[in-house]
């Protein structure tokens, strides 16, 4: 039997509250779909299940993204939540996968329930960092948040393999904010050896980065879908 883990990538996105992790995960899934690759986006945010993809699932499927999400429950994480068998067994599907998990310590710990995750050959766990947020405002706080958000249940495979610099102030963001955030995160990257794999920016900033890079790091230009999701 063919080992499905040999020919696919599984990318996990996490980050502090309002870091833009869900927007990053969603736009990353669109990158795969637009390049003709099979991609499944798994909504595994059990911290705030009300912040979900339900209203835009149809739109995303039309763009070539398969979706696995819990669509029956409504409420904040503090009120309790559950995951479905499809979510728990999502890795049994073929093809590349993007997994959007919640923030804080309980974010990455949810990965422990996924059957087969420790057997994935190309598992990448990304921390999305918005330095305009208090929790990740500078090098020391980012390092502290990394330790906190890596979860309570330490596993050899449960480690950050990349950063996504996504400093923004919503509609008030200017180019200087994006660069300032990148420079702060680069201090952490240099110290930890964990690379910054991309810089997140609204698509309106494309003219500001004409070659699609800054400091030789790719800039991912986001179409903003989350405002249409359930908030």
């Amino acid at each position: 039997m063919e080992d499905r883990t040999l020919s696919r990538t599984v990318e996990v996105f996490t980050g502090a509250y309002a870091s833009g992790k869900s927007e990053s995960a969603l736009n990353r899934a669109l990158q795969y779909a637009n390049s003709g690759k099979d991609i499944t986006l798994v909504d595994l945010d059990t911290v705030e299940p009300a912040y979900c993809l339900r209203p835009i699932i149809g739109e995303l499927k039309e763009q070539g993204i398969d979706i696995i999400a819990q669509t029956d429950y409504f409420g904040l994480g503090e009120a309790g939540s559950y995951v479905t068998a499809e979510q728990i067994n999502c890795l049994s599907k073929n093809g590349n996968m993007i997994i959007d998990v919640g923030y804080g310590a309980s974010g990455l710990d949810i990965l422990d329930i996924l059957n087969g995750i420790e057997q994935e050959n190309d598992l990448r766990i990304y921390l999305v960092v918005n330095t305009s947020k208090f929790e990740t405002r500078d090098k020391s706080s980012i390092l502290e948040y990394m330790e906190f958000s890596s979860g309570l249940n330490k596993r050899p495979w449960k480690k950050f393999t990349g950063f996504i610099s996504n400093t923004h102030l919503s509609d008030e963001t200017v180019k200087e904010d994006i660069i300032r955030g990148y420079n702060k995160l680069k201090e952490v990257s240099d110290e930890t050896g964990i690379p910054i794999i991309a810089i997140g920016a609204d698509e309106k900033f494309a003219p500001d980065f004409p070659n699609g890079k800054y400091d030789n790091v790719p800039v991912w230009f986001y179409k903003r879908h989350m405002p249409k999701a359930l908030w």
Side-chain angles (χ1 to χ4, degrees):
M1 180 181 296
E2 181 182 359
D3 186 351
R4 66 173 58 85
T5 69
L6 292 177
S7 58
R8 64 125 171 250
T9 297
V10 175
E11 300 183 4
V12 177
F13 287 73
T14 190
Y17 177 76
S19 62
K21 66 176 185 60
S22 294
E23 198 73 87
S24 297
L26 193 160
N27 275 272
R28 180 60 166 161
L30 285 170
Q31 289 179 12
Y32 274 88
N34 291 337
S35 64
K37 297 178 181 178
D38 291 335
I39 186 65
T40 299
L41 175 60
V42 183
D43 185 352
L44 202 61
D45 187 345
T46 58
V47 178
E48 292 286 3
Y51 290 69
C52 71
L53 300 176
R54 268 176 279 184
I56 57 175
I57 285 177
E59 176 183 339
L60 296 178
K61 286 185 175 180
E62 288 179 357
Q63 297 184 67
I65 301 175
D66 194 11
I67 304 290
I68 294 178
Q70 194 285 101
T71 59
D72 299 325
Y73 180 83
F74 179 85
L76 298 176
E78 291 79 0
S81 184
Y82 71 91
V83 292
T84 66
E86 186 180 24
Q87 288 171 300
I88 293 171
N89 295 299
C90 64
L91 295 173
S92 66
K93 288 178 60 67
N94 292 322
N96 302 293
M97 195 160 296
I98 304 291
I99 303 176
D100 177 16
V101 303
Y103 55 87
S106 56
L108 283 187
D109 276 346
I110 194 65
L111 296 176
D112 293 334
I113 72 170
L114 299 185
N115 289 328
I117 192 166
E118 71 282 355
Q119 297 164 354
E120 288 295 329
N121 289 285
D122 191 4
L123 175 65
R124 308 176 188 183
I125 301 179
Y126 300 144
L127 182 66
V128 181
V129 178
N130 179 357
T131 61
S132 71
K133 303 300 297 181
F134 178 80
E135 300 95 323
T136 51
R137 64 194 180 278
D138 53 24
K139 184 176 77 170
S140 62
S141 60
I142 294 170
L143 290 169
E144 183 178 347
Y145 189 82
M146 286 177 62
E147 175 62 26
F148 167 65
S149 65
S150 63
L152 302 175
N153 192 8
K154 308 299 183 185
R155 303 278 190 180
W157 52 265
K158 196 189 294 181
K159 58 185 179 181
F160 294 114
T161 57
F163 294 118
I164 297 173
S165 180
N166 191 47
T167 291
H168 66 88
L169 294 162
S170 190
D171 293 334
E172 298 179 6
T173 308
V174 296
K175 177 184 177 181
E176 289 71 24
D177 296 320
I178 298 169
I179 294 173
R180 170 180 52 81
Y182 169 79
N183 288 333
K184 287 184 178 181
L185 186 57
K186 191 173 186 303
E187 294 181 36
V188 181
S189 176
D190 290 342
E191 180 167 321
T192 62
I194 299 173
I196 300 175
I197 65 152
I199 299 168
D202 189 286
E203 60 184 345
K204 69 182 181 182
F205 290 103
D208 293 304
F209 303 95
N211 65 350
K213 292 184 178 181
Y214 177 77
D215 195 27
N216 211 33
V217 175
V219 180
W220 291 354
F221 297 112
Y222 294 166
K223 291 183 180 294
R224 295 182 63 191
H225 292 80
M226 291 310 294
K228 294 180 288 185
L230 186 60
W231 291 84

